Amino acid sequence: MSWQAYVDEHLLCDIDGQRLTAAAILGHDGSVWAQSESFPQKSLQFRSDVQLANVKPEEVTAVMNDFNEPGSLAPTGLYLAGTKYMVIQGEPGAVIRGKKGPGGVTIKKTTLAIIIGIYEEPMTPGQCNMVVERLGDYLLEQGF
């Protein structure tokens, strides 16, 4: 299965009539393995056919640091593609959760990647957590 299929079929699946707004799988270095069309992105100026996640390297570094030093994002907030989320309860070293208005984000760390799910109401935080963490747990079992 391609990484894009994991995004399209597993992260963007229908849960009680709700779906994630956007999703992506990134390497620990911030490289994009796969992403939804709605994931915050930008076009390269010299190639309009190439899309890259608009997640900044320093944002990925901050996320990875929080996995290594849980709680490090709480004072400043979690930034993802320039959007600030208030960090809420997660699982130290494994899951980071953020909230912004009627939506939020869940990020699950696997051996080689981070799984990102962004949601807006009426999807609930619990539904987002379930989708993102279930795929993350599966990838961990597979050694990814």
Side-chain angles (χ1 to χ4, degrees):
M1 180 178 289
S2 75
W3 291 112
Q4 191 61 50
Y6 283 109
V7 169
D8 297 340
E9 297 172 19
H10 296 280
L11 291 176
L12 297 179
C13 65
D14 196 327
I15 301 291
D16 298 328
Q18 305 305 318
R19 292 178 159 220
L20 292 174
T21 305
I25 301 173
L26 306 180
H28 287 181
D29 62 357
S31 60
V32 179
W33 292 11
Q35 64 186 18
S36 65
E37 286 185 28
S38 57
F39 196 78
Q41 53 193 314
K42 60 184 174 185
S43 297
L44 289 177
Q45 292 180 353
F46 60 92
R47 286 191 57 195
S48 61
D49 61 321
V50 176
Q51 298 291 313
L52 298 175
N54 201 16
V55 177
K56 299 175 181 133
E58 59 269 20
E59 294 172 340
V60 174
T61 299
V63 166
M64 294 306 295
N65 285 344
D66 193 78
F67 282 126
N68 295 326
E69 300 173 30
S72 65
L73 282 176
T76 59
L78 163 65
Y79 285 86
L80 196 60
T83 299
K84 182 179 180 180
Y85 296 88
M86 178 179 64
V87 178
I88 56 176
Q89 175 197 1
E91 295 173 26
V95 178
I96 299 170
R97 297 183 183 112
K99 185 83 173 128
K100 178 176 173 58
V105 63
T106 300
I107 304 172
K108 170 80 175 179
K109 180 184 177 197
T110 70
T111 306
L112 302 173
I114 55 175
I115 315 300
I116 303 170
I118 299 172
Y119 71 94
E120 292 290 332
E121 287 182 348
M123 183 174 234
T124 67
Q127 290 170 321
C128 177
N129 297 342
M130 182 175 63
V131 170
V132 172
E133 293 174 39
R134 182 173 41 188
L135 178 59
D137 290 342
Y138 171 77
L139 292 177
L140 280 166
E141 290 171 8
Q142 302 305 309
F144 293 104

